[in-house]
Amino acid sequence: MIRSISWLGVRTDRFEATARFYQDVMGIEPSVSTPDFVLFDLPNGDRIELFGPDGENQHFTDAPVVGFEVDDLDGARSRLEARGVDFVHVGRDEGAGFGWAHFRGPDGNLYEVTGPVSTPDP
């Protein structure tokens, strides 16, 4: 479902819940996992590094909003909603056939899926 990001570093106090979210809901398998660090490698070589509160890189204190690129926004959104994800904002550029959908992860941070849309906005 997730197509790519270039890199994302996230520090969270809800480390275990967030690691499970990436793996179980987003469908990304970890390549390295320790008690305070998980590395997720995406198929195109992009990486997500998840840091627990006591892990490396203490300078990561706030997580950025990141866009996860998908092949079909509407399909990805439907799959995520089926897994319990609530979206807080959905936007589209109908002329470009492109859109985005923001949601909050279990860590309280804002994320988005972004990509081509297959249906017009209701």
Side-chain angles (χ1 to χ4, degrees), residues 1-42:
M1 167 170 56
I2 301 300
R3 184 173 168 190
S4 69
I5 61 167
S6 59
W7 181 86
L8 168 67
V10 176
R11 175 171 303 289
T12 177
D13 291 335
R14 301 216 40 219
F15 177 77
E16 291 179 15
T18 304
R20 282 192 313 273
F21 176 77
Y22 284 142
Q23 186 171 355
D24 299 341
V25 176
M26 301 295 282
I28 309 168
E29 291 297 320
S31 56
V32 175
S33 183
T34 70
D36 280 306
F37 175 79
V38 178
L39 172 64
F40 298 93
D41 286 315
L42 297 177

Side-chain angles (χ1 to χ4, degrees), residues 12-92:
T12 177
D13 291 335
R14 301 216 40 219
F15 177 77
E16 291 179 15
T18 304
R20 282 192 313 273
F21 176 77
Y22 284 142
Q23 186 171 355
D24 299 341
V25 176
M26 301 295 282
I28 309 168
E29 291 297 320
S31 56
V32 175
S33 183
T34 70
D36 280 306
F37 175 79
V38 178
L39 172 64
F40 298 93
D41 286 315
L42 297 177
N44 70 346
D46 294 343
R47 292 184 152 185
I48 300 169
E49 294 181 352
L50 181 63
F51 303 94
D54 300 318
E56 301 176 8
N57 297 322
Q58 291 293 319
H59 60 280
F60 289 111
T61 57
D62 296 316
V65 174
V66 63
F68 293 98
E69 187 177 352
V70 296
D71 290 326
D72 176 284
L73 177 63
D74 298 319
R77 186 173 162 214
S78 292
R79 285 187 294 278
L80 290 169
E81 285 175 330
R83 294 175 179 168
V85 172
D86 292 319
F87 287 88
V88 297
H89 179 266
V90 176
R92 298 172 183 261

